[in-house]
Amino acid sequence: MTFNKTIIPRVMASILGQTREVLAAEAVIAVDGAETFDCDVTKLHLHDMTVIAGLGGPISLLIAFSFETSLVEALFHRVTADIEVPPGEEDLYRRETAAEIVNTILGLCTTDFQNIEESIALSPPVIIEDARCIHRPKNAVFASMRIRTERGIVSVSFVGPRDLFDDHMNYQF
């Protein structure tokens, strides 16, 4: 199967819509706006915590959600408000909160593509901390979207085709 980069705008619109819904429902955080960026960038700049997951099948993209610390903190405090976080486990719970938010958003996005006849696989999220950029290798397509909320920014980057990379963004060719 060849990579169809015309799918990227549809996936971007789906992710923006589902991010609005999930942040409002899970953390009572409103999205203030979003900007999209050209596919011709040569590297993606990342925030403090990045969660990467892949959408397979006809979509064939790795999607990296890169969170500012302030947004991760707001999500963490809201999601863990009714549970006791064991001392020393706060960082683990922060990472798991970010991963679960991304997993929920991407899972809901698959419903936006029900009209596609092939099944859409969703890889487990991988968390990367303190990485600063991802360089675009030959034959890869990058696109990016910055989603601004009242509590911070999440930059969502799209890297395709999916089969050029493993789940840790390592180039495979």
Side-chain angles (χ1 to χ4, degrees):
M1 180 169 74
T2 60
F3 178 63
N4 177 1
K5 68 180 182 179
T6 63
I7 194 82
I8 293 175
R10 288 181 56 202
V11 175
M12 288 176 115
S14 174
I15 285 178
L16 177 58
Q18 296 299 350
T19 299
R20 281 183 200 280
E21 296 297 320
V22 170
L23 291 181
E26 296 292 326
V28 194
I29 295 174
V31 170
D32 296 331
E35 300 88 33
T36 58
F37 300 95
D38 210 342
C39 294
D40 290 332
V41 296
T42 58
K43 66 181 171 180
L44 300 173
H45 297 279
L46 304 176
H47 299 295
D48 300 311
M49 184 180 296
T50 302
V51 179
I52 300 169
L55 290 175
I59 294 178
S60 187
L61 290 170
L62 279 178
I63 302 172
F65 287 74
S66 191
F67 295 89
E68 283 187 341
T69 300
S70 59
L71 182 54
V72 171
E73 282 299 310
L75 291 168
F76 164 74
H77 288 295
R78 181 65 180 182
V79 169
T80 61
D82 296 331
I83 63 171
E84 186 174 326
V85 177
E89 301 276 318
E90 296 86 359
D91 288 341
L92 172 65
Y93 278 71
R94 277 184 192 85
R95 288 190 300 272
E96 291 302 318
T97 296
E100 190 56 34
I101 292 291
V102 168
N103 211 32
T104 301
I105 291 167
L106 293 179
L108 291 169
C109 286
T110 63
T111 65
D112 291 339
F113 296 96
Q114 290 178 3
N115 60 338
I116 294 177
E117 293 183 17
E118 288 182 64
S119 63
I120 300 170
L122 178 60
S123 73
V126 174
I127 301 155
I128 299 172
E129 293 182 278
D130 301 321
R132 291 294 162 219
C133 66
I134 298 171
H135 293 273
R136 180 173 57 108
K138 183 179 177 182
N139 299 326
V141 175
F142 278 180
S144 190
M145 171 173 55
R146 183 181 308 128
I147 300 173
R148 290 177 282 102
T149 76
E150 59 196 3
R151 302 302 297 268
I153 291 172
V154 58
S155 296
V156 184
S157 300
F158 304 82
V159 182
R162 160 88 176 87
D163 57 0
L164 288 179
F165 303 90
D166 67 14
D167 289 333
H168 299 279
M169 294 295 288
N170 295 313
Y171 188 56
Q172 300 199 99
F173 293 97

